[in-house]
Amino acid sequence: MQIEIRENHFLLLSQRAIFWEEKQTLLIGDLHLGKITHFRKEGIAVPNIAAENNFLRLNELVQNTGASRIIFLGDLFHSKYNSEWETFTAWRNQHHYIDMIIVIGNHDILPVNMFLEADLQVFENDFEEDGFIFTHHPKTEFDHSKFIFAGHIHPVFTSYGKGRQSVRLPCFVIDKNQAIVPSFGVFTGGFPMDLADNRKIYVTTETKVFSIC
Amino acid sequence: MPDTLIITPESLHLLFTQKNSYEIFKNLHTVVVDEWHELMGSKRGTQTELALARLRNMNPELQTWGISATIGNLDEAMQVLLGMRKSAEEPVIIKAKSEKKITVESILPEKVETLPWYGYMGVRLVDKVVEVVNKSNTTLLFTNTRAQSEIWYRNIIEKYPEFAGIMALHHGSLDREIRDWVEDALHLGKLKLVICTASLDLGVDFRPVETVIQVGSPKSIARFVQRAGRSGHQPGAESKIYFCPVNSLELLEAVSLREGVVKNVLEDRPPVVQAFDVLAQWMITLAVGGGFEEQQLFEEIQDAYGYQFINRQEWEWLLGYITTGSASLTVYDEYKKVERIDGRYVVNSRKVALRHVLSMGTIVSDSVLKVKFQHGKYLGAVEESFATRLKAGDAFYFAGMNVEFVRIHEMTVTVKKAEGKKGFLIRWAGSRMSLSSQLSSFIRERVANALDNPLKEKELAKMQPLLELQQERSVIPNMDELLIEQCETREGHHIFIFPFEGRLVHEGMAILMAYRLSKIKPITFSLAMNDYGFELLSDQYVDIEAVSKEIDLFSTKHLVDDIYQSVNATEMAKRKFREIAAIAGLMFQGYPGKVVKTKHLQASSSLLFTVMTKYENNNLLVNQAYQEVLTYQLEEVRMRKALDRIETQKILFKKTIKPTPFSFPIMVDRLREQLTSEKLDDRIQKMIKQYAD
């Protein structure tokens, strides 16, 4: 689904990412890679299949959009170093022709030089371009000349139907000055969002994005 | 070793992780299993069976005694206790000559309107209850949930402040020290009233207790009798129990409970069979404690009732599981636990042994946080899911006090006394009990002759206005009739079906009906149920009368298939699997003080379930999860019987303009499940359209 923000065009994708058309750039929030391996090391049996799913979806995105750049909105890697980092760097090498940027999130505790070695551009706080700010934590105070893209909270929305039905799905939240992307990782929780004035919510199933008024 | 050892099944198993367990037990003469009915029917019972089989193997002369007062299937209970190879001497059942005399009395409202149509807290009769309490020296007031006991405590202390100091609270989440104090004070006769849950219905001998009050239906006659037995706890003494209904329909249960007690109908405790998770744990336990030889152990466990039918194939799967992990997990080193050395199965890794010892047992609880005052006194424990939602300054009722949340740190919730704030109630997880089949058949009879014979029992006489309203808006079914009501409200289209079989059977039936109806066209149902009936709610109208002429809704044909086909069975099995995976040692529950968050464990058990289902055809533990859903969650055997009965019944279809006294309590039930045959995308589309309208 395409939306327009400050005369730029953004595609909201059912794989839980945003594609910025003017800049051929993918925006991806909260992958939390490494979390699964981290759990397994703690003796909790999580099959690796969940981790594979993340990479399958990443490949699908890169192919479908033909993106030339990816901005990770923080929490790319959930843990201290483990073998899943190697999987990520191998994936990164396969896609060496794509520029990748990361703004550091609260879970990104790996030393910065590891991101650099993996050929990522690193921004400790905000990355800014053409009046758009890309960051991890959503902001509470706004400079109205700028528009913010953030992650961190893993927004979900529950929609209710007649007959006491309900469906809870990850969502994009677009406010006047800020957009929050859903978490990309499969192994993460969710923070429930409410409707509000000047806010658009878009829920996403695995195949489609829907606009909730 | 001491001459006498008093021990739980868990600690007994722990002794078998020691290398010298043979030395400890070889001269053991007698085992006495007290309250056998409490163990049998649970996995702790299975643990006991396994340990007994081993002890008998070590010493064939071993004597075994079982003690129980409230069990229906005595012969089976004996067989389970003594194992499949009968001992040299014939077993005997010794029954007490004197019948225990139990008097049952209902606490009745002045008018039926005093009681709500639904709900389970029931504090409206608090004055009547206090009247009863004042008549005797010491009273135990049993409630069905911990939250309910907190509410009753609050309500009594607010209305009758004179109870301060002579009333106490006792439930499973309170700190051991507090509970010990209450038990001691009871024994010394210092307390006039103790409000408690099942935590007090076992074992301890409270001689001074004169009166027992049960608030809300105990759902089983045996459980009711067990609680009644807490009063008049001397030979020859009479037990007196009062039943306080919490909603108007429970007046029906009051009559049925009394009838059950008079006729001395006690429920069976069906033993657990084929619990492969417990067996896997036992095998690792023995491997830690010096190892086992597989053929010898295979023969030994067949002596246990629960594993009499185990076959070689299943056994070999288990051996594979403990040595390499199951087929889908073999690649991970984490799951290699037991090694085979010179034909013996042993655990050599100290890490594996330590982890195993730390996570033994069959009780898998939600993870809990300790609650303590700022100055250090421990009060008890609350569930993590509750504690993590608290903000500083929030007040809640706990241990009979109003406390204010300060902070959570290192698995401890610190609180202080809340001044002038109104607290809210803790919710403790825990499943709702379901009506036993014995009790439900009494209730069906009660319902059927309630109108013909209203004055026979005073409880039914009280209910008269309500029953008349049911008759006026719909109908009261006879024994050979099944009632189906349909009505439309702002919420959507409701179908209510009333088999009076208990909530577990109704859950299964609701899934079955919803699945069979959803095969006809894409539709979403939200399901709700209580002990009397169940509801299918949808945004579309279904002409149930016409449909039931076309397809055989209540047939037992393809019963299990149809249940498995519905997504709900998979979801239920997934949830059951969490417990199985923990018992079988698939998931480590964490070192003491470094507890892994339950939420994470939940996520990982469901992933494990998905992977094992996908990559392994015959995983015994996954199969066990489905089997447990059918047997325990949906009570398949009872469901079949109920469906067979329904096929002989005449169905009464009633369209009602308003909800009826029977349907209203189900309608307001907030625990719901959904069953859908619509595509997710289509459902969202429809919902969004409704927002726009």
Side-chain angles (χ1 to χ4, degrees):
Chain A
M1 174 166 304
Q2 195 198 49
I3 59 167
E4 193 180 320
I5 300 171
R6 315 236 165 148
E7 287 155 17
N8 278 257
H9 297 85
F10 295 87
L11 272 180
L12 308 182
L13 302 166
S14 61
Q15 291 92 340
R16 300 188 232 166
I18 294 182
F19 187 59
W20 183 8
E21 295 187 327
E22 280 75 9
K23 301 280 182 173
Q24 293 290 297
T25 297
L26 269 173
L27 308 177
I28 292 176
D30 302 87
L31 252 132
H32 291 269
L33 294 173
K35 187 170 179 178
I36 287 157
T37 311
H38 174 69
F39 273 33
R40 294 219 353 249
K41 280 183 104 171
E42 294 294 310
I44 304 169
V46 190
N48 248 340
I49 186 161
E52 284 159 21
N53 180 293
N54 283 334
F55 290 104
L56 284 176
R57 272 159 54 239
L58 280 173
N59 286 339
E60 202 179 290
L61 274 175
V62 170
Q63 274 162 24
N64 292 354
T65 59
S68 61
R69 183 172 68 165
I70 299 177
I71 301 175
F72 294 106
L73 299 171
D75 288 359
L76 172 65
F77 204 77
H78 179 87
S79 157
K80 51 186 195 269
Y81 173 83
N82 62 41
S83 62
E84 215 165 316
W85 180 251
E86 302 304 325
T87 318
F88 174 73
T89 49
W91 177 85
R92 204 270 168 267
N93 287 336
Q94 280 169 22
H95 301 87
H96 53 87
Y97 51 88
I98 299 177
D99 290 334
M100 296 192 194
I101 295 173
I102 177 175
V103 291
I104 297 292
N106 51 312
H107 277 287
D108 292 307
I109 51 170
L110 285 182
V112 169
N113 67 334
M114 292 190 71
F115 291 113
L116 295 172
E117 278 166 27
D119 194 19
L120 265 62
Q121 266 189 77
V122 179
F123 292 82
E124 292 278 357
N125 294 308
D126 300 351
F127 166 70
E128 198 177 328
E129 189 174 87
D130 294 1
F132 291 99
I133 294 176
F134 302 90
T135 187
H136 181 59
H137 287 273
K139 297 203 188 286
T140 46
E141 284 171 23
F142 303 102
D143 167 357
H144 294 285
S145 66
K146 307 272 168 65
F147 190 90
I148 296 146
F149 283 90
H152 183 61
I153 61 170
H154 308 179
V156 292
F157 182 76
T158 308
S159 66
Y160 296 93
K162 219 178 167 189
R164 292 216 191 179
Q165 300 180 23
S166 64
V167 180
R168 185 176 185 265
L169 289 167
C171 67
F172 300 90
V173 182
I174 318 284
D175 288 336
K176 203 163 140 257
N177 293 307
Q178 176 161 265
I180 303 172
V181 302
S183 84
F184 189 86
V186 283
F187 202 53
T188 54
F191 181 81
M193 300 300 297
D194 295 322
L195 291 168
D197 288 341
N198 290 324
R199 166 176 289 176
K200 294 280 285 176
I201 285 183
Y202 300 87
V203 296
T204 163
T205 67
E206 279 178 17
T207 51
K208 231 171 161 174
V209 176
F210 295 89
S211 153
I212 309 270
C213 34
Chain B
M1 285 305 279
D3 287 340
T4 307
L5 191 62
I6 298 174
I7 203 164
T8 60
E10 289 81 8
S11 305
L12 183 56
H13 272 221
L14 207 54
L15 287 177
F16 282 105
T17 61
Q18 298 188 7
K19 303 257 190 271
N20 62 345
S21 62
Y22 181 75
E23 289 304 313
I24 300 177
F25 291 119
K26 66 176 180 192
N27 294 320
L28 181 65
H29 182 272
T30 304
V31 178
V32 181
V33 183
D34 196 10
E35 308 276 7
W36 179 221
H37 59 274
E38 271 299 311
L39 292 174
M40 200 167 88
S42 75
K43 288 180 178 173
R44 299 183 76 205
T46 309
Q47 278 188 305
T48 313
E49 286 176 49
L50 284 168
L52 283 171
R54 166 122 296 211
L55 291 171
R56 279 193 296 267
N57 207 344
M58 288 173 172
N59 174 16
E61 302 293 301
L62 185 79
Q63 260 197 33
T64 317
W65 291 71
I67 302 174
S68 173
T70 49
I71 203 161
N73 48 338
L74 266 182
D75 289 312
E76 195 174 20
M78 181 178 72
Q79 174 92 70
V80 177
L81 189 72
L82 297 180
M84 299 316 293
R85 286 175 226 139
K86 285 271 170 68
S87 54
E89 288 169 64
E90 273 303 297
V92 281
I93 293 177
I94 303 169
K95 276 191 189 170
K97 254 200 207 120
S98 59
E99 284 281 310
K100 179 87 185 166
K101 197 167 166 0
I102 300 173
T103 321
V104 182
E105 178 101 40
S106 299
I107 296 177
L108 292 178
E110 298 296 334
K111 283 188 298 189
V112 70
E113 289 82 6
T114 313
L115 283 171
W117 280 15
Y118 71 100
Y120 59 98
M121 287 308 177
V123 283
R124 295 200 197 176
L125 293 180
V126 64
D127 297 333
K128 297 245 169 199
V129 165
V130 169
E131 263 175 47
V132 173
V133 171
N134 278 332
K135 274 192 268 175
S136 56
N137 283 327
T138 309
T139 302
L140 292 186
L141 186 140
F142 280 101
T143 63
N144 288 325
T145 65
R146 287 167 275 184
Q148 198 180 5
S149 65
E150 294 273 352
I151 287 197
W152 271 83
Y153 187 93
R154 282 235 61 86
N155 269 275
I156 292 180
I157 207 86
E158 270 166 19
K159 267 190 117 168
Y160 300 90
E162 65 269 26
F163 272 92
I166 50 168
M167 170 169 78
L169 189 60
H170 189 290
H171 63 68
S173 291
L174 297 179
D175 201 55
R176 184 74 255 175
E177 211 175 294
I178 297 177
R179 281 184 280 160
D180 286 345
W181 178 84
V182 174
E183 286 166 28
D184 288 345
L186 248 182
H187 213 83
L188 296 171
K190 283 192 203 156
L191 291 172
K192 191 167 180 61
L193 174 63
V194 177
I195 296 170
C196 54
T197 61
S199 63
L200 259 194
D201 76 5
L202 274 185
V204 203
D205 177 8
F206 297 112
R207 206 158 308 145
V209 174
E210 280 170 55
T211 307
V212 172
I213 303 173
Q214 165 71 39
V215 174
S217 169
K219 305 290 182 198
S220 124
I221 302 158
R223 195 175 296 130
F224 193 59
V225 169
Q226 179 76 27
R227 288 177 184 176
R230 293 305 102 198
S231 75
H233 203 278
Q234 308 109 286
E238 185 185 321
S239 291
K240 178 131 198 179
I241 186 163
Y242 289 85
F243 176 67
C244 171
V246 295
N247 60 49
S248 40
L249 282 178
E250 277 193 353
L251 287 167
L252 283 171
E253 282 177 60
V255 188
S256 309
L257 276 169
R258 191 166 53 225
E259 193 173 345
V261 171
V262 169
K263 293 189 175 154
N264 196 26
V265 178
L266 297 177
E267 284 85 1
D268 290 356
R269 298 274 178 150
V272 173
V273 293
Q274 303 281 78
F276 294 117
D277 51 348
V278 181
L279 184 52
Q281 189 187 87
W282 177 237
M283 289 161 82
I284 301 171
T285 298
L286 294 177
V288 170
F292 63 86
E293 196 276 307
E294 64 96 359
Q295 186 57 35
Q296 188 263 323
L297 184 63
F298 181 56
E299 279 159 25
E300 178 185 302
I301 56 143
Q302 289 174 74
D303 180 29
Y305 184 94
Y307 302 103
Q308 53 181 310
F309 297 120
I310 189 172
N311 61 39
R312 196 63 215 173
Q313 206 184 347
E314 288 159 340
W315 179 248
E316 267 158 24
W317 188 91
L318 284 165
L319 287 171
Y321 167 76
I322 60 167
T323 46
T324 63
S326 70
S328 58
L329 290 172
T330 39
V331 285
Y332 306 144
D333 283 345
E334 288 96 325
Y335 304 111
K336 284 185 189 128
K337 292 195 162 133
V338 179
E339 293 169 72
R340 193 170 172 204
I341 296 171
D342 300 332
R344 279 183 81 74
Y345 286 80
V346 290
V347 167
N348 273 333
S349 152
R350 289 187 58 186
K351 193 175 166 191
V352 169
L354 177 64
R355 280 191 171 185
H356 180 70
V357 168
L358 286 174
S359 52
M360 281 172 68
T362 59
I363 301 170
V364 180
S365 59
D366 290 311
S367 97
V368 291
L369 305 181
K370 286 216 151 208
V371 180
K372 79 171 193 32
F373 272 131
Q374 275 173 318
H375 52 75
K377 184 177 156 40
Y378 279 100
L379 293 177
V382 293
E383 262 138 33
E384 187 189 330
S385 56
F386 173 81
T388 47
R389 263 185 287 130
L390 292 170
K391 296 188 297 288
D394 280 353
F396 59 98
Y397 296 123
F398 188 70
M401 281 174 284
N402 195 5
V403 296
E404 189 180 319
F405 175 80
V406 180
R407 67 174 168 269
I408 300 183
H409 184 57
E410 288 183 345
M411 305 305 283
T412 302
V413 178
T414 306
V415 298
K416 61 182 184 190
K417 280 236 165 102
E419 309 290 347
K421 278 190 182 173
K422 216 172 152 53
F424 49 84
L425 261 181
I426 301 181
R427 276 176 194 278
W428 276 279
S431 55
R432 289 204 221 169
M433 292 173 293
S434 183
L435 210 56
S436 76
S437 66
Q438 281 79 353
L439 200 49
S440 39
S441 82
F442 282 124
I443 289 176
R444 272 195 305 279
E445 277 173 45
R446 285 293 143 219
V447 172
N449 71 24
L451 273 188
D452 302 343
N453 211 349
L455 297 172
K456 202 171 127 207
E457 312 274 3
K458 57 183 181 187
E459 290 88 351
L460 292 179
K462 278 272 184 244
M463 274 186 85
Q464 195 63 9
L466 196 71
L467 294 169
E468 276 165 12
L469 187 65
Q470 172 68 28
Q471 182 78 342
E472 188 188 309
R473 287 191 184 171
S474 167
V475 71
I476 294 176
N478 273 321
M479 289 292 277
D480 57 357
E481 291 167 334
L482 174 77
L483 171 63
I484 298 184
E485 291 180 2
Q486 235 180 328
C487 76
E488 190 188 346
T489 66
R490 268 197 326 214
E491 288 185 332
H493 300 272
H494 307 257
I495 299 168
F496 297 99
I497 303 179
F498 301 98
F500 289 89
E501 276 289 348
R503 62 177 297 123
L504 295 185
V505 174
H506 292 157
E507 188 174 5
M509 278 197 196
I511 293 171
L512 187 71
M513 295 300 125
Y515 175 72
R516 287 179 177 171
L517 290 171
S518 73
K519 276 205 298 194
I520 304 171
K521 64 171 175 181
I523 190 166
T524 304
F525 289 108
S526 89
L527 315 176
M529 66 257 3
N530 67 7
D531 281 316
Y532 307 123
F534 59 90
E535 178 196 6
L536 310 176
L537 170 64
S538 177
D539 55 359
Q540 305 171 45
Y541 174 71
V542 177
D543 187 345
I544 185 93
E545 189 167 1
V547 170
S548 68
K549 285 193 183 102
E550 281 163 36
I551 61 167
D552 208 350
L553 272 179
F554 294 97
S555 161
T556 49
K557 259 193 217 152
H558 313 298
L559 172 66
V560 174
D561 273 350
D562 280 359
I563 289 177
Y564 278 172
Q565 290 294 317
S566 74
V567 189
N568 296 51
T570 317
E571 280 304 313
M572 285 175 171
K574 221 182 233 181
R575 266 177 271 148
K576 277 269 178 232
F577 189 71
R578 179 178 158 245
E579 179 193 294
I580 291 169
I583 294 173
L586 267 177
M587 290 188 314
F588 181 52
Q589 305 250 37
Y591 294 103
K594 198 187 155 201
V595 187
V596 181
K597 277 195 184 169
T598 318
K599 203 169 77 182
H600 294 167
L601 288 175
Q602 186 78 47
S604 75
S605 79
S606 82
L607 270 170
L608 263 183
F609 180 86
T610 311
V611 172
M612 288 180 163
T613 311
K614 203 168 163 188
Y615 295 107
E616 245 184 287
N617 281 331
N618 208 6
N619 185 305
L620 287 193
L621 300 176
V622 169
N623 294 354
Q624 190 188 333
Y626 277 102
Q627 198 54 51
E628 284 189 9
V629 166
L630 270 188
T631 315
Y632 302 111
Q633 182 115 19
L634 306 177
E635 297 202 71
E636 185 210 343
V637 177
R638 256 178 91 182
M639 185 154 76
R640 260 180 211 283
K641 273 194 202 143
L643 289 171
D644 283 338
R645 196 187 67 236
I646 289 171
E647 286 214 294
T648 69
Q649 284 178 319
K650 184 173 161 238
I651 300 182
L652 307 173
F653 295 98
K654 286 282 165 192
K655 290 216 166 101
T656 67
I657 297 165
K658 282 180 182 169
T660 64
F662 283 0
S663 67
F664 187 73
I666 308 177
M667 207 172 98
V668 294
D669 196 307
R670 291 178 61 205
L671 284 181
R672 276 168 188 267
E673 292 194 56
Q674 295 182 44
L675 190 141
T676 182
S677 60
E678 292 175 285
K679 282 204 197 97
L680 180 59
D681 287 354
D682 295 344
R683 288 181 67 195
I684 310 273
Q685 198 86 61
K686 214 156 74 179
M687 287 182 184
I688 288 169
K689 208 165 152 253
Q690 283 170 17
Y691 278 103
D693 299 344

